[in-house]
Amino acid sequence: MADVGRLLLVFGVLLVVVGGALMLFGRFHLPGDFTFRSGNVTVFVPLATGFVISIVASIVATIVLNLVFRHR
């Protein structure tokens, strides 16, 4: 059980580092992302970015959990 806790801690730190890097270097935009500007108001709707991040997170979680539970 300690291995799972350590794995979750490493995954959380990795998410913080990646999130910080995205905040520092700006967001990346995919073709399905929409930006609406009107005067001083800007609305950003990250449809494609959210979809891609969800798929990547799902694949990574599946691989990690399969590795954890197969070695038990």
Side-chain angles (χ1 to χ4, degrees):
M1 193 58 122
D3 292 335
V4 175
R6 218 177 265 130
L7 183 66
L8 287 173
L9 182 64
V10 169
F11 187 66
V13 169
L14 182 65
L15 282 176
V16 168
V17 169
V18 170
L22 286 176
M23 287 175 62
L24 286 175
F25 300 117
R27 295 185 185 146
F28 56 93
H29 299 283
L30 294 175
D33 295 343
F34 299 104
T35 303
F36 303 101
R37 291 189 179 102
S38 176
N40 292 333
V41 177
T42 301
V43 177
F44 177 66
V45 183
L47 292 178
T49 303
F51 183 69
V52 170
I53 290 174
S54 296
I55 289 175
V56 170
S58 176
I59 290 170
V60 169
T62 300
I63 291 170
V64 168
L65 289 175
N66 277 325
L67 290 174
V68 168
F69 288 121
R70 285 188 184 184
H71 290 300
R72 291 183 101 192

